[in-house]
Amino acid sequence: MGGSFRMSRYRSLLAFSWAMAALAAVSAAGMLLDDRVLVGAPIWFKPFKFSVSFAAYGLTLAWMLSRRPARSRAGEWAAHTIVVAGLIEMAIIVGQTLRGRRSHFNIETPLDRALFMAMGATIAILWTATLVIAVVLFRARLGDRATAWAIRLGALIALAGLLLGGLMLMPTPEQQAQQAAGIVPTVLGAHSVGVPDGGPALPLTGWNATGGDLRIPHFVGMHALQALPLFLYGIEALARRRSRLRDERVRLRLVATAAGFLAGLLALVTWQALRGQALLRPDAATLTALAVLVTATAAGTLAALRAPRADRTRPTPTPEPVA
């Protein structure tokens, strides 16, 4: 009851999430009814992906902020800022979709350039507001230690994932060659590395299937925001059957291990993408790094599940003699 009441303080984030869910439904209909294709994908695919992501983002931040027992004006202002920035971002994406134009990296006309620069500004504002929320969450009591650190570490990894999106703004070698030759490019930046945007793509995600794709680390980092709290929820559900998981220290160590895995995975997929390597075509170096990460995570999980030291050193009680 108290959590629901506190969550209502952030009704702007909740309303934003519902609006994005409605836009996702409209975009899904657009993919069915509008047969236009842009950069190798259905033209309404980008609005659909962004609206789903924003819906989850707003809802998660509202829940995290509601864990604070006391009101935070800084958190509320940051939440309002994220809503405004997100609405501007989605208005540009949908507007360019209706015009049949690219929203990202498009500098072909003065209007396209201005809209793309405006999107860059809104993302920078959104990242700064998310940083403010992360600081607010670090300074508050959010429940037990496992819950608090699942929220805090998820926010930190999400900030890193958002920041890595800036790698897409770097000119590709082809665009640099055009600039060196005095040719003004019509596109600046790209999702893909080593291959052009718009090639063969993985189903559902649209990620490049033949080269590196910088959207992958962006996705992994951002959705750590939901992954760590959901991981803890799963642990707490299992605790009804596994007494070891009822120990707060064990849950905290498992959360730290999961956060370490996500941070390592974020670094790994970033490295893979920057080398122009498709996600499902890893080379020996990538597979070796993945094996090291999985092994370290398994070792950390086993260590986390060990009985607390106080329990291991406690002497076994001697049975009383039978009278």
Side-chain angles (χ1 to χ4, degrees):
M1 183 72 176
S4 300
F5 171 75
R6 291 194 297 268
M7 203 162 174
S8 67
R9 299 174 186 164
Y10 306 99
R11 56 176 60 93
S12 62
L13 278 174
L14 296 176
F16 174 67
S17 296
W18 283 112
M20 291 299 101
L23 180 57
V26 172
S27 301
M31 287 192 289
L32 295 174
L33 301 174
D34 192 339
D35 59 0
R36 289 180 297 167
V37 174
L38 186 63
V39 198
I43 198 167
W44 284 95
F45 188 47
K46 177 166 286 188
F48 175 77
K49 289 198 303 181
F50 270 73
S51 54
V52 169
S53 181
F54 268 132
Y57 194 67
L59 192 62
T60 305
L61 289 179
W63 173 78
M64 287 180 169
L65 286 167
S66 72
R67 301 289 301 183
R68 284 179 52 93
R71 186 172 184 175
S72 169
R73 293 195 177 276
E76 290 178 15
W77 277 105
H80 297 329
T81 301
I82 287 173
V83 169
V84 173
L87 288 174
I88 294 172
E89 181 88 0
M90 289 308 301
I92 294 173
I93 291 174
V94 172
Q96 289 291 76
T97 299
L98 293 171
R99 295 178 64 221
R101 309 281 293 179
R102 292 184 67 167
S103 52
H104 288 76
F105 318 122
N106 186 2
I107 57 171
E108 185 173 359
T109 69
L111 176 59
D112 292 329
R113 179 188 290 269
L115 291 174
F116 180 45
M117 292 178 64
M119 291 175 69
T122 58
I123 289 299
I125 293 170
L126 187 145
W127 187 89
T128 304
T130 304
L131 176 62
V132 171
I133 289 177
V135 172
V136 167
L137 295 175
F138 262 83
R139 298 180 61 185
R141 292 184 61 87
L142 305 171
D144 64 17
R145 290 185 300 164
T147 301
W149 283 103
I151 292 173
R152 292 165 180 167
L153 293 174
L156 285 181
I157 298 173
L159 283 168
L162 280 169
L163 199 60
L164 287 171
L167 294 173
M168 304 181 206
L169 303 178
M170 303 296 293
T172 65
E174 293 78 10
Q175 293 163 1
Q176 292 175 352
Q178 287 180 326
Q179 292 173 329
I183 302 172
V184 179
T186 58
V187 174
L188 190 62
H191 297 134
S192 304
V193 179
V195 293
D197 282 347
L202 298 178
L204 299 179
T205 62
W207 297 335
N208 201 299
T210 58
D213 198 316
L214 294 168
R215 289 173 293 187
I216 299 171
H218 188 55
F219 175 90
V220 170
M222 277 193 62
H223 292 291
L225 199 69
Q226 294 91 28
L228 279 178
L230 286 174
F231 172 75
L232 179 61
Y233 178 81
I235 292 174
E236 291 175 344
L238 287 173
R240 299 168 188 170
R241 298 182 179 180
R242 298 288 184 270
S243 60
R244 181 66 54 80
L245 298 177
R246 296 170 196 161
D247 190 314
E248 180 187 344
R249 293 165 294 180
V250 172
R251 295 198 304 274
L252 177 60
R253 290 197 293 263
L254 287 172
V255 165
T257 301
F261 171 77
L262 285 174
L265 183 62
L266 177 60
L268 176 59
V269 294
T270 303
W271 179 54
Q272 184 183 23
L274 288 173
R275 290 185 295 135
Q277 188 178 110
L279 179 67
L280 300 184
R281 297 183 180 180
D283 61 10
T286 302
L287 289 174
T288 301
L290 179 60
V292 171
L293 177 61
V294 171
T295 301
T297 303
T301 302
L302 291 174
L305 290 172
R306 292 175 62 190
R309 181 172 299 178
D311 292 346
R312 296 199 306 269
T313 57
R314 186 178 300 155
T316 303
T318 304
E320 295 182 3
V322 179

